[in-house]
Amino acid sequence: NNKVYVFGGYRNSTAPYHTMQTWEWDPETDTWAQVGDISLGRGYIDVAVVDGKIYGFGGDIYNGTDLLAQTKAEVFDPGTGKWNDAAVADLPTASGEGTAYGFDSSSPYEFAGKIIIAGGGLWPDDTADTFLYNVATKTYDTTFADLNVSRRNQAGFFVPGDPGAMWVFGGRSSSAGYGSDNPPYAPPEYYTVYTFAPDIL
């Protein structure tokens, strides 16, 4: 509804290291309003939107020395301004710093009503693991095709089309031989996403 939401985050300089706050920005009036807190203060949360709700998966807390990946998953309803931890099943494996792609239940694509969570891992290590989350059944499919290159902190976006594609770019990929937190970074790759109805020729 033409709003921007900013939530969570951490700093490694002084305690408290995390924030649980959620802020809503209205670009038309250039005003900020604080809304409901996330259930666990953390940063590097994997985020996707399905049917107008914001889903947050995993993320990292900071213990003063290291980033510690979490399994926490929750959903934010802009209509109520609140997060719901019980409405989303936690990740099967702790992870942070990945990318998530959401598809509305009315989407013409094969993943309607689902979220794909790709990459991330347990800092400073990365992963190629990819999960498919079903919003309706609150279940994960861990057999979904993994990334070709293990990575964290990558850029990612969905390009619509017939077919569409989920892209990832860059990211830190120490386990794949692309350096640790230094370049060269991981190469781009994509996963093709098809619509339900085939083209009629």
Side-chain angles (χ1 to χ4, degrees), residues 179-201:
S180 179
D181 286 354
N182 301 307
Y185 298 122
E189 56 181 298
Y190 67 91
Y191 184 95
T192 302
V193 181
Y194 296 94
T195 57
F196 287 113
D199 291 335
I200 298 174
L201 302 177

Side-chain angles (χ1 to χ4, degrees), residues 16-17 28 36 52 58 64 72 74 80 114 120 124 139 157 167 183 197:
Y17 298 116
E28 292 183 343
K72 177 68 67 180
E74 50 194 316
T80 64
K114 298 180 174 65
T139 57
F157 50 84
W167 282 87

Side-chain angles (χ1 to χ4, degrees), residues 47-173:
V47 178
V49 176
V50 174
D51 295 337
K53 295 182 179 178
I54 302 169
Y55 289 79
F57 297 90
D60 297 336
I61 63 172
Y62 185 67
N63 65 1
T65 305
D66 298 310
L67 290 171
L68 305 173
Q70 303 296 301
T71 60
K72 177 68 67 180
E74 50 194 316
V75 60
F76 179 79
D77 184 345
T80 64
K82 296 180 179 179
W83 288 89
N84 188 335
D85 180 26
V88 186
D90 284 348
L91 286 170
T93 305
S95 185
E97 307 173 60
T99 304
Y101 308 83
F103 295 86
D104 287 346
S105 57
S106 61
S107 169
Y109 293 102
E110 59 186 303
F111 300 125
K114 298 180 174 65
I115 297 170
I116 290 83
I117 305 156
L122 299 168
W123 182 91
D125 295 324
D126 41 75
T127 186
D129 288 349
T130 301
F131 305 135
L132 184 147
Y133 181 72
N134 187 314
V135 171
T137 62
K138 303 178 186 177
T139 57
Y140 291 91
D141 179 357
T142 59
T143 66
F144 191 85
D146 290 338
L147 295 170
N148 292 308
V149 177
S150 177
R151 65 183 83 211
R152 61 180 171 85
N153 299 116
Q154 70 271 13
F157 50 84
F158 177 70
V159 178
D162 192 9
M166 294 182 290
W167 282 87
V168 292
F169 282 84
R172 295 160 174 169
S173 186

